[in-house]
């Protein structure tokens, strides 16, 4: 199995501007702080090791320089463009949208130039619901970008971690990756026993800490200029997520735990782990074929109903959130496959188990209560839970965030707000100050943020599958009730107690569905009554106008 040639890195630093000098300091500090370098490959010589460190240092300077230069431009643009506009005015909102767009494009260029870790950071930001839509729209183009590593590097890392050459372990090993993400890539292989496997290898741990150091310094600087935006909090969450995603032992454990929780689910497939071929730097899993969950054309060609896939997907993640309290943190389409295999005509394959969030038990229970109250629009319960979550008066925005309704909404669950409700909501949101938004985000428990991110990704997938809005809402309602009934030791599987709890939850859900259908019917009757009343008014107005005009001409 041959690998491509390894070409020496040639980089030139031009100019001696202060950003470059500052970047040198950051890069050197990052190198000194970097206590966990890239997995060692039996070093040929001290010269080779020194050359690698120098190359890494120079590359760190270049990458940090770009980052500082870009962020400086972004900060100046915001300060200069908005300096004379009163916050909250229509001119301010229009101008800030323009600056958001320019800044997002600059950050996109930065991510594309620095690649690797920066691409992952851009992907992370694009999936956050709390950032301006201009950023999520522009940076979402990074979701499919990745640069494969040299195959020789992969051979070396696998050999040093598993203690054998590729030819001693595999009958065949594809040099081209089947998936190349921003921080890791996956290759298809065939073991000596003809078992198909997927082998995952990290691609940028060496640069990770330098880049995070740069981002942390920049985020603190920007946060001082824009105190209403907590960039440092986003960086902290991102650093935690990346540390988890690069720990393949933890990813393997997460995978097995999720598989245990879903062992009675015939639709979910989670690849098994080959522990004898797995280390902290190499993860070997069962190979599972399939197409991305948003590949609607594949589903139609395979006679798979996209809406059924959407419903099953929501059931899976609702169960994770409300029942298991153990949530997959990165459910983008590349990590969820749809396969033709399965008793129901298809199965859903969950990949990339590096990032999971284990919810606090009290939070999980309160979140179940919140969704029950949201479905029933129980305003008193929502306000009470708002106090528990520490958001106080801002609890009135929970229905808007999660269900698209206001606290006083008369619209049926899963339907759009009426024009009047939308007008009142816009009016209220315009009265909000940045301090209010910042205070609300600060008050939210930390468990809310991965749930909001996961929910945002799921909504995007449901939209691509053409699923109606109520699919998500009913799945959340159903499993919120399940979560309130029981949270027994999930590793014990089916027991008499768990069956009884599930039965009670099903009864509760049945009555809730009846109530929701009744409320929907009442809402439709009310809409029809209003529509009929408006039509009668228009007809009466036309009749009066006709007689008035007729009498005018007669005179």
């Amino acid at each position: 199995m041959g690998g491509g040639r390894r070409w020496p890195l040639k980089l030139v630093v031009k100019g001696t501007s202060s950003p470059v000098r500052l970047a040198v300091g950051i890069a050197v500090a990052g190198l000194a702080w970097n206590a966990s370098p890239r997995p060692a490959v039996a070093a040929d010589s001290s010269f080779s090791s020194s050359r690698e460190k120098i190359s890494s240092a120079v590359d760190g300077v270049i990458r940090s320089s770009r980052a500082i230069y870009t962020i400086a431009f972004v900060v100046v643009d915001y300060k200069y463009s908005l300096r004379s506009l009163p916050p909250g005015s229509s001119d301010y909102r229009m101008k800030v949208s323009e600056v958001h767009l320019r800044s997002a494009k600059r950050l996109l260029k930065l991510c594309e130039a620095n690649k690797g870790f920066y691409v992952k950071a851009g992907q992370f930001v694009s999936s956050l619901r709390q950032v301006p839509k201009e950023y999520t729209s522009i940076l979402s183009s990074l979701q499919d970008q990745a640069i494969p590593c040299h195959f020789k590097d992969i051979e070396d890392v696998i050999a040093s971690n598993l203690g054998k050459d590729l030819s001693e372990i595999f009958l065949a090993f594809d040099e081209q990756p089947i998936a190349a993400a921003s921080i890791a890539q996956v290759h298809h292989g065939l073991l000596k026993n003809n078992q198909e496997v997927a082998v995952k290898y990290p691609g940028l741990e060496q640069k990770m800490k330098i880049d995070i150091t740069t981002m942390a310094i920049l985020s603190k600087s920007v946060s001082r200029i824009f105190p209403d935006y907590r960039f440092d909090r986003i960086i902290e969450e991102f650093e935690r997520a990346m540390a988890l995603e690069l720990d393949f032992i933890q990813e393997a454990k997460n995978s097995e735990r999720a598989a245990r929780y879903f062992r009675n689910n015939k639709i979910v497939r989670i690849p098994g782990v080959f522990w004898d071929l797995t280390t902290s730097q190499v993860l070997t899993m069962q190979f599972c074929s399939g197409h991305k969950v948003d590949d609607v054309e594949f589903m139609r060609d395979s006679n798979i109903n996209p809406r059924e896939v959407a419903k099953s997907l929501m059931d899976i993640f609702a169960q994770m959130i409300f029942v298991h309290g153990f949530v997959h943190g990165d459910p983008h389409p590349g990590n969820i496959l749809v396969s033709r295999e399965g008793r129901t005509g298809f199965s859903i394959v969950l990949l990339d188990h590096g990032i999971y969030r284990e919810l606090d038990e009290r939070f999980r229970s309160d979140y179940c209560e919140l969704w029950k109250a949201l479905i029933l629009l129980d305003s008193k319960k929502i306000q009470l839970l708002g106090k528990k979550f520490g958001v106080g008066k801002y609890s009135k925005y929970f229905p808007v965030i999660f269900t698209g309704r206001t606290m006083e909404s008369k619209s049926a669950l899963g339907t759009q707000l009426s024009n009047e409700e939308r007008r009142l909501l816009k009016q209220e949101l315009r009265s909000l100050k940045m301090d209010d938004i910042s205070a609300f985000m600060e008050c939210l428990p930390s468990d809310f943020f991965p749930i909001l991110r996961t929910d945002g990704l799921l909504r995007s997938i449901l939209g691509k599958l053409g699923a109606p809005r109520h699919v998500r809402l009913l799945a959340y309602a159903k499993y919120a009730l399940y979560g309130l009934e029981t949270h027994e030791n999930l590793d014990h599987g089916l027991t008499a107690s768990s069956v009884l709890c599930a039965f009670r939850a099903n009864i509760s859900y049945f009555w809730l569905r009846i109530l929701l259908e009744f409320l929907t019917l009442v809402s439709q009757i009310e809409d029809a009554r209003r529509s009929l009343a408006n039509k009668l008014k228009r007809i009466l107005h036309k009749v009066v106008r006709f007689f008035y005009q007729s009498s005018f001409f007669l005179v």
Side-chain angles (χ1 to χ4, degrees):
M1 298 182 188
R5 289 181 62 188
R6 181 178 294 170
W7 295 93
L9 182 65
K10 295 183 179 180
L11 296 172
V12 180
V13 181
K14 295 183 179 180
T16 57
S17 62
S18 57
V20 172
R21 288 199 296 271
L22 180 59
V24 171
I26 292 171
V28 172
L31 266 180
W33 182 60
N34 188 357
S36 57
R38 188 175 172 180
V41 180
D44 298 326
S45 65
S46 59
F47 173 76
S48 176
S49 176
S50 298
R51 185 178 61 182
E52 208 168 291
K53 288 181 180 179
I54 293 171
S55 174
S56 178
V58 174
D59 187 50
V61 170
I62 298 298
R63 293 154 65 83
S64 299
S65 299
R66 289 196 194 104
I68 293 170
Y69 181 79
T70 301
I71 296 300
F73 257 88
V74 168
V75 170
V76 169
D77 194 1
Y78 274 101
K79 282 291 186 183
Y80 179 79
S81 301
L82 306 176
R83 70 189 187 287
S84 59
L85 298 175
S89 66
S90 58
D91 288 340
Y92 180 90
R93 287 194 297 272
M94 183 173 68
K95 180 61 70 174
V96 79
S97 178
E98 293 174 2
V99 181
H100 283 336
L101 188 61
R102 287 198 299 270
S103 301
K105 289 179 179 178
R106 289 189 182 111
L107 291 179
L108 175 64
K109 288 183 179 179
L110 171 66
C111 294
E112 290 175 336
N114 279 3
K115 300 182 176 65
F117 179 86
Y118 282 81
V119 171
K120 188 66 181 180
Q123 293 171 349
F124 183 83
V125 171
S126 72
S127 66
L128 295 174
R129 294 182 62 194
Q130 58 264 41
V131 302
K133 65 180 184 300
E134 292 84 358
Y135 284 90
T136 57
S137 175
I138 294 296
L139 296 178
S140 62
S141 65
L142 294 171
Q143 291 295 342
D144 295 321
Q145 290 193 23
I147 305 297
C149 298
H150 293 298
F151 185 69
K152 183 65 170 68
D153 293 341
I154 299 168
E155 285 184 303
D156 291 343
V157 170
I158 291 177
S160 67
N161 275 267
L162 302 184
K164 298 179 181 179
D165 292 334
L166 288 181
S167 58
E168 297 179 72
I169 304 171
F170 301 96
L171 284 176
F173 193 95
D174 295 346
E175 292 191 16
Q176 292 300 315
I178 54 176
S182 52
I183 68 167
Q185 63 190 53
V186 182
H187 290 255
H188 175 266
L190 187 66
L191 297 177
K192 294 289 187 177
N193 62 0
N194 288 311
Q195 170 74 54
E196 285 187 281
V197 293
V199 182
K200 190 173 182 179
Y201 155 83
L204 51 79
E205 188 177 11
Q206 184 180 22
K207 300 173 182 177
M208 175 178 169
K209 288 195 172 182
I210 296 176
D211 291 340
I212 281 188
T213 304
T214 304
M215 287 186 179
I217 293 172
L218 290 173
S219 70
K220 288 177 182 176
S221 301
V222 175
S223 292
R224 290 193 192 101
I225 300 170
F226 300 104
D228 293 327
Y229 291 97
R230 292 302 308 274
F231 296 103
D232 52 338
R233 189 169 178 178
I234 293 175
I235 293 295
E236 288 171 7
E237 179 68 19
F238 178 61
E239 183 177 3
R240 187 194 68 81
M242 290 306 95
L244 290 174
E245 195 163 351
L246 284 170
D247 183 352
F248 289 164
I249 294 292
Q250 187 58 52
E251 179 172 346
K253 291 178 179 179
N254 291 343
S255 173
E256 290 199 332
R257 181 175 173 183
R260 286 197 305 272
Y261 289 170
F262 284 108
R263 62 187 171 279
N264 295 316
N265 189 314
K266 304 305 179 186
I267 291 180
V268 182
R269 291 181 63 201
I270 296 175
V273 178
F274 290 78
W275 281 105
D276 56 332
L277 298 175
T278 294
T279 69
S280 61
Q281 299 298 328
V282 176
L283 175 59
T284 306
M285 307 159 287
Q286 172 190 6
F287 177 79
C288 293
S289 61
H291 289 249
K292 286 185 178 182
V293 71
D294 59 353
D295 189 345
V296 177
E297 186 176 348
F298 158 75
M299 294 180 207
R300 287 173 179 160
D301 291 343
S302 305
N303 292 321
I304 298 173
N305 188 338
R307 293 195 177 189
E308 286 299 316
V309 171
K311 182 179 180 301
S312 297
L313 181 67
M314 282 311 309
D315 284 347
I316 291 167
F317 278 89
Q319 196 170 343
M320 283 185 178
I321 294 169
F322 296 102
V323 181
H324 303 163
F326 189 61
V327 187
H328 191 302
D330 197 17
H332 65 75
N335 287 338
I336 306 171
L337 305 181
V338 176
S339 171
R340 293 188 182 95
E341 302 171 8
R343 296 182 182 180
T344 60
F346 69 90
S347 59
I348 293 177
V349 182
L350 298 182
L351 305 175
D352 199 349
H353 299 270
I355 302 176
Y356 266 78
R357 182 67 172 233
E358 184 160 11
L359 304 179
D360 175 78
E361 175 55 22
R362 180 176 294 180
F363 173 86
R364 185 199 65 81
S365 178
D366 287 342
Y367 193 64
C368 290
E369 291 280 7
L370 175 62
W371 264 93
K372 183 179 178 181
L374 287 171
I375 296 297
L376 299 176
L377 271 183
D378 185 343
S379 58
K380 290 184 179 179
K381 186 70 173 179
I382 292 172
Q383 290 169 358
L384 177 63
L385 289 165
K387 291 179 181 178
K388 279 191 174 185
F389 289 131
V391 299
K393 64 180 182 179
Y394 300 112
S395 61
K396 64 182 179 180
Y397 296 113
F398 278 148
V400 177
I401 293 170
F402 291 111
T403 67
R405 299 188 295 174
T406 62
M407 197 83 86
E408 300 79 19
S409 179
K410 305 301 180 187
S411 301
L413 183 69
T415 62
Q416 299 285 349
L417 291 173
S418 67
N419 291 333
E420 179 63 15
E421 289 171 342
R422 193 176 289 111
R423 185 186 67 78
L424 292 174
L425 178 60
K426 284 183 178 178
Q427 185 177 337
E428 187 170 357
L429 291 177
R430 281 174 185 164
S431 68
L432 279 176
K433 297 179 180 178
M434 187 57 69
D435 288 342
D436 294 320
I437 298 173
S438 180
F440 174 65
M441 299 303 291
E442 283 292 315
C443 292
L444 284 175
S446 59
D447 280 342
F448 256 111
F449 294 102
I451 285 181
L452 286 171
R453 180 174 185 270
T454 297
D455 184 56
L457 291 170
L458 291 172
R459 288 194 198 195
S460 174
I461 293 173
L462 293 188
K464 293 175 181 177
L465 294 178
R469 298 176 67 203
H470 70 259
V471 167
R472 166 181 164 273
L473 299 175
L474 289 178
Y476 282 173
K478 177 179 180 179
Y479 285 97
L481 292 175
Y482 281 5
L484 286 173
E485 286 293 337
T486 180
H487 187 61
E488 77 285 354
N489 189 340
L490 296 165
D491 289 327
H492 288 168
L494 291 175
T495 63
S497 174
S498 65
V499 170
L500 180 60
C501 289
F503 176 74
R504 287 202 302 264
N506 277 320
I507 293 296
S508 299
Y509 178 66
F510 174 72
W511 286 112
L512 180 62
R513 281 298 301 268
I514 291 177
L515 176 60
L516 292 175
E517 293 297 339
F518 174 74
L519 292 175
T520 301
L521 179 61
V522 169
S523 176
Q524 289 173 344
I525 292 173
E526 181 64 19
D527 289 343
R529 186 191 67 77
R530 282 200 298 265
S531 177
L532 181 60
N534 289 334
K535 286 181 180 178
L536 289 174
K537 284 181 183 178
R538 287 196 295 270
I539 292 172
L540 183 60
H541 177 73
K542 288 180 179 179
V543 170
V544 171
R545 188 177 177 183
F546 172 76
F547 279 110
Y548 175 79
Q549 290 176 343
S550 298
S551 61
F552 176 79
F553 283 117
L554 287 174
V555 172

